[in-house]
Amino acid sequence: MTNTNKKVLVTGGTGYIGSHTVVELINAGYETVIADNLSNSERFILDRIEQIAGVRPKFYEIDLCDKAKVEDLFNAESDIKAVIHFAAFKAVGESVKEPLKYFRNNNLSLINLLEVMNEKGVNNIVFSSSATVYGQPDVLPATEATPFQKALSAYGSTKQMGEEILEKVSSATIIKSIALRYFNPVGAHKSALIGELPVGVPNNLMPFVTQTGIGKREMLTIFGDDYSTPDGTCIRDYIHVVDLAKAHVKACERLIAEKAESNYEVFNLGTGKGTSVLEIVNAFEKVTGQKLNYKIGPRREGDVESLYAETKLANEKLGWKAELGLEEMLSSAWAWEVKLHEGTVEV
Ligand code: WQD
């Protein structure tokens, strides 16, 4: 039963993390509205959300860089209680080659959204940020107080700038915001009806692993095994996308219930556990029984050696803790890849 006091707008809601979050919002009784320009996602995800959650979110196919379209949406949807803003470009490598595309899209869409929210008196926003803002911290685990390092990509800059914009706007207007810094989202919903849909050759490790496992990619290249880590490969904090989605529901609840302790709050969303690339490969083979064809290649420029989260703040303040382990991350990612392979969806 939806409670109209809890209507949430999800921008980028047909995307990977967005779609999983819409499912969890519906499960928690929220009414959901999605705004997405489908530049990096597929319309059929709406059908899958309805199949999983039994409710079809209202959908607006709009580009948030078009402020008039954002105003039309807020006029049509008058009682939005909170916005979760996922819509952004997120390919790190592409952002190095095309910085202006990233600055325009990621920053202008946020500015348009905030201007219209301010005009319409919608004062709660949850922002999709990233652990990439930390670069390579001097001390691990990374806490929310860990200083930013100069972003190595335009994508990273847009996340740092996005947080900066929110902090300043939240101190000058009625808008209250929560920035969620994701570590490495992986996995898929247990139904295998939604998951990561990389366009073209995947940049990220997990989809490359599952596509290699299914035979869509010839071989996985591990980018370097000469790092100062136990097995020489990079360490990351992989977090199940469903755990990540549930944290967004908690953040919405915190804002709508006016429980935030300041106008701008930041939370790390990770498991607090670091896992190396080789450990991922070995665990994948064990969990799926699927041999993985891989080789060691040169380091990838811009990669940090090791990054994992201190999650105490989110545990305490959001009442949220990651529950799903590596096995569920890997088995759900594989089940989704198998389902994609069986289906007619070509990505
Ligand atoms: C993980 C590890 C690679 C591919 C980035 C962004 C972050 C977020 C997640 C958007 C690294 C290694 C990878 C491959 C490999 N993006 N790897 N072979 O770089 O930690 O984070 O993606 O929200 O903001 O910074 O994730 O999955 O690309 O890499 O060896 O084919 O896997 O070197 O050590 P990353 P990743």
Side-chain angles (χ1 to χ4, degrees):
M1 175 60 185
T2 51
N3 169 340
T4 46
N5 179 38
K6 304 202 303 186
K7 183 191 279 189
V8 174
L9 168 64
V10 182
T11 74
T14 51
Y16 173 41
I17 304 168
S19 56
H20 285 83
T21 300
V22 169
V23 164
E24 296 308 327
L25 283 166
I26 294 170
N27 291 345
Y30 286 86
E31 184 186 346
T32 57
V33 178
I34 293 176
D36 203 304
N37 65 0
L38 300 176
S39 64
N40 193 23
S41 58
E42 304 288 343
R43 188 183 290 271
F44 79 84
I45 292 295
L46 293 167
D47 305 329
R48 300 292 178 89
I49 292 172
E50 185 177 12
Q51 240 179 301
I52 295 168
V55 174
R56 189 180 188 82
K58 207 160 177 193
F59 177 62
Y60 291 81
E61 183 178 355
I62 61 164
D63 186 336
L64 298 176
C65 288
D66 180 342
K67 188 174 174 182
K69 289 281 187 297
V70 181
E71 280 164 342
D72 292 348
L73 187 157
F74 276 77
N75 289 332
E77 299 293 338
S78 55
D79 50 356
I80 293 167
K81 291 288 174 270
V83 178
I84 304 182
H85 181 44
F86 290 106
F89 293 150
K90 60 157 202 140
V92 175
E94 181 191 50
S95 80
V96 173
K97 298 188 195 93
E98 300 183 71
L100 277 175
K101 175 180 173 185
Y102 275 69
F103 289 126
R104 163 169 284 279
N105 184 68
N106 292 8
N107 292 353
L108 181 57
S109 56
L110 175 62
I111 290 165
N112 283 344
L113 194 56
L114 291 170
E115 284 182 339
V116 174
M117 283 174 68
N118 204 27
E119 288 157 20
K120 304 292 177 188
V122 176
N123 56 7
N124 297 315
I125 181 168
V126 176
F127 176 66
S128 164
S129 189
S130 168
T132 208
V133 301
Y134 296 120
Q136 177 61 70
D138 298 332
V139 178
L140 285 171
T143 76
E144 287 80 356
T146 296
F148 285 4
Q149 287 188 348
K150 184 164 175 41
L152 297 172
S153 68
Y155 165 77
S157 296
T158 66
K159 290 304 177 184
Q160 291 180 345
M161 292 158 82
E163 290 199 18
E164 191 71 23
I165 290 167
L166 280 172
E167 187 178 19
K168 297 289 184 295
V169 169
S170 296
S171 61
T173 69
I174 50 143
I175 290 173
K176 290 190 175 20
S177 43
I178 290 179
L180 299 176
R181 293 178 184 159
Y182 312 155
F183 282 69
N184 286 62
V186 293
H189 189 266
K190 60 181 184 294
S191 65
L193 288 171
I194 52 176
E196 195 166 2
L197 267 177
V199 176
V201 180
N203 299 300
N204 290 137
L205 177 65
M206 193 58 74
F208 210 108
V209 163
T210 57
Q211 288 187 12
T212 304
I214 204 101
K216 187 168 180 176
R217 303 290 161 206
E218 176 62 31
M219 181 183 289
L220 167 76
T221 302
I222 295 181
F223 298 142
D225 69 346
D226 58 350
Y227 287 95
S228 314
T229 60
D231 65 18
T233 64
C234 293
I235 290 171
R236 294 289 183 276
D237 185 335
Y238 296 95
I239 175 170
H240 198 294
V241 66
V242 172
D243 275 329
L244 203 59
K246 290 179 174 171
H248 288 74
V249 178
K250 292 286 189 183
C252 263
E253 273 161 10
R254 184 174 176 84
L255 289 172
I256 293 173
E258 299 184 352
K259 289 201 176 122
E261 290 163 16
S262 69
N263 288 342
Y264 174 67
E265 293 183 310
V266 179
F267 297 102
N268 281 342
L269 296 184
T271 65
K273 185 177 177 314
T275 304
S276 75
V277 179
L278 263 176
E279 284 171 328
I280 290 283
V281 170
N282 295 332
F284 176 82
E285 292 185 328
K286 188 162 169 279
V287 166
T288 64
Q290 191 68 32
K291 185 88 187 76
L292 206 60
N293 196 15
Y294 72 89
K295 68 177 180 187
I296 304 292
R299 292 184 174 194
R300 178 174 68 176
E301 201 186 330
D303 270 341
V304 296
E305 175 172 276
S306 182
L307 183 60
Y308 50 92
E310 169 55 77
T311 63
K312 262 205 309 265
L313 205 58
N315 303 154
E316 285 163 15
K317 303 291 182 190
L318 293 183
W320 166 90
K321 189 170 172 52
E323 293 164 355
L324 299 169
L326 194 58
E327 187 169 337
E328 173 59 26
M329 294 180 208
L330 291 162
S331 58
S332 63
W334 179 238
W336 165 245
E337 188 65 59
V338 169
K339 190 105 177 182
L340 272 185
H341 198 65
E342 286 162 2
T344 54
V345 174
E346 182 52 36
V347 283

